[in-house]
Amino acid sequence: MYLGVSSTVLLMIMGIYDVYLVSISTLDFYVLVPMGIGLILGGYVFLNISKYCLTNFHSQTYYAILGFVLGSIFVLYPGFSFDLQGIVCISLLIMGIFISMKLEKGQ
């Protein structure tokens, strides 16, 4: 199982997405080469850390990732309101958590 976050989201959060787009369109290698090196090294290190955590602390890592996803709902969708659609989404989320916890106990 591979989990990840879009690089576009990360660049937007760091505020350098516009610089990245301009660098791609103009082939500015003074920006692209360090970004590529950082992408390769960061990906390698993070994948090894994730693999270690999922191997040795599966439940804790799984629920930490779930917590990050839940915590990012309000950041990624600031117009979130508790209308009928919001209530249905939260109900399905709680049901999904309950089902995953039941399935985990069955293993």
Side-chain angles (χ1 to χ4, degrees):
M1 172 171 70
Y2 296 102
L3 302 171
V5 176
S6 168
S7 60
T8 303
V9 172
L10 292 175
L11 292 172
M12 290 171 72
I13 289 171
M14 292 186 290
I16 57 173
Y17 186 65
D18 294 332
V19 173
Y20 174 72
L21 287 179
V22 170
S23 300
I24 290 288
S25 65
T26 61
L27 293 177
D28 185 3
F29 291 108
Y30 290 111
V31 175
L32 294 176
V33 170
M35 288 182 85
I37 292 170
L39 174 74
I40 292 168
L41 289 176
Y44 179 76
V45 169
F46 187 74
L47 286 174
N48 282 327
I49 291 171
S50 298
K51 183 178 177 181
Y52 173 80
C53 288
L54 284 169
T55 302
N56 297 315
F57 310 103
H58 179 73
S59 296
Q60 295 90 341
T61 305
Y62 179 77
Y63 291 121
I65 293 170
L66 183 62
F68 289 139
V69 170
L70 291 176
S72 66
I73 288 173
F74 300 108
V75 175
L76 296 176
Y77 186 54
F80 185 78
S81 63
F82 288 100
D83 56 357
L84 180 60
Q85 182 181 3
I87 292 170
V88 169
C89 290
I90 290 174
S91 301
L92 291 173
L93 172 71
I94 292 169
M95 188 174 14
I97 292 170
F98 179 73
I99 290 170
S100 68
M101 290 172 67
K102 287 293 185 182
L103 289 174
E104 182 181 357
K105 288 180 183 177
Q107 292 181 350

